[in-house]
Amino acid sequence: MGADIHGQVECRPAYRILDEDDAPWRPAIDLHLLYGGRDYDVFGCLFGVRNHAGLRPLAAGRGLPGDVSTEVRREFASGEGLFHSATWIGWPEVAAADWDEPAERADARVHEYAPVPGGGWELAGKSFQDTGGRPVGAEWTRDGRRFRVARMTRREAVPPDGTWAPVWTVMRALAGVHGAANVRLVAWFDN
């Protein structure tokens, strides 16, 4: 059974407000409008969910923010018994993350590469299989495929031009208008 992500980018408006700390958080855009995939490398790197790659999660297990918007709290509550691992991450944390940070351990999945025309290899997928005790970096070929024991970096898990680029673009734009501290992603998962 797979895990899917749900959530909202929230914003606390900073203009036309005398004291922005008193402004309530508001849902800005549903995550499903920006991202519709199931990428366990992203989920693990950001939130510690299905963290097969062994990356130190940036924002795992925080629960819903205490000041979460009413609409987001209601949406999360609508999946009672189904939703789990609620958490959130602010734009300042995303912007300050060390995207070259390596995982704390080798990926639990072996990386499989297929040959490409003209030579070389292209990542074809990742699978749980016995490494035979091989160390990180070890490679072997079987049935015309190359296999590798790898240790990923955050950038490999969440490439800047990858499927999460629209999420980062929206959060960056909102931060440019309202301030970085006034933008966050609230997320949760189902199985």
Side-chain angles (χ1 to χ4, degrees):
M1 183 182 299
D4 293 308
I5 191 168
H6 306 268
Q8 294 273 346
V9 174
E10 285 190 320
C11 182
R12 189 169 46 191
Y15 58 91
R16 296 191 206 166
I17 303 287
L18 293 177
D19 184 357
E20 66 185 50
D21 290 335
D22 290 336
W25 287 91
R26 297 181 183 168
I29 188 166
D30 191 298
L31 183 60
H32 285 124
L33 295 174
L34 303 171
Y35 173 79
R38 179 187 283 171
D39 189 330
Y40 295 154
D41 290 338
V42 173
F43 299 172
C45 174
L46 298 177
F47 308 116
V49 173
R50 303 283 173 109
N51 192 4
H52 306 303
L55 291 154
R56 183 184 56 80
L58 292 176
R62 294 178 170 176
L64 292 179
D67 57 356
V68 70
S69 65
T70 302
E71 297 87 346
V72 172
R73 184 177 304 283
R74 188 177 306 123
E75 184 179 344
F76 177 75
S78 73
E80 186 177 335
L82 175 67
F83 295 147
H84 62 85
S85 304
T87 192
W88 60 275
I89 187 166
W91 179 248
E93 295 169 283
V94 173
D98 176 1
W99 294 100
D100 294 317
E101 180 182 342
E104 297 176 318
R105 60 169 172 75
D107 195 329
R109 302 153 303 173
V110 173
H111 295 211
E112 180 179 343
Y113 298 84
V116 294
W121 299 90
E122 177 179 75
L123 183 65
K126 300 170 189 170
S127 62
F128 293 101
Q129 59 176 284
D130 185 14
T131 65
R134 294 176 177 96
V136 170
E139 292 185 359
W140 63 99
T141 304
R142 184 177 66 232
D143 300 327
R145 297 275 185 159
R146 180 168 287 171
F147 299 89
R148 185 169 191 268
V149 178
R151 182 184 308 257
M152 295 179 68
T153 64
R154 288 191 186 289
R155 189 176 315 282
E156 290 170 318
V158 191
D161 58 348
T163 57
W164 273 68
V167 179
W168 300 150
T169 298
V170 166
M171 291 180 76
R172 185 181 302 109
L174 289 169
V177 174
H178 301 286
N182 294 319
V183 179
R184 67 184 177 201
L185 170 64
V186 181
W188 56 90
F189 298 83
D190 70 43
N191 287 340

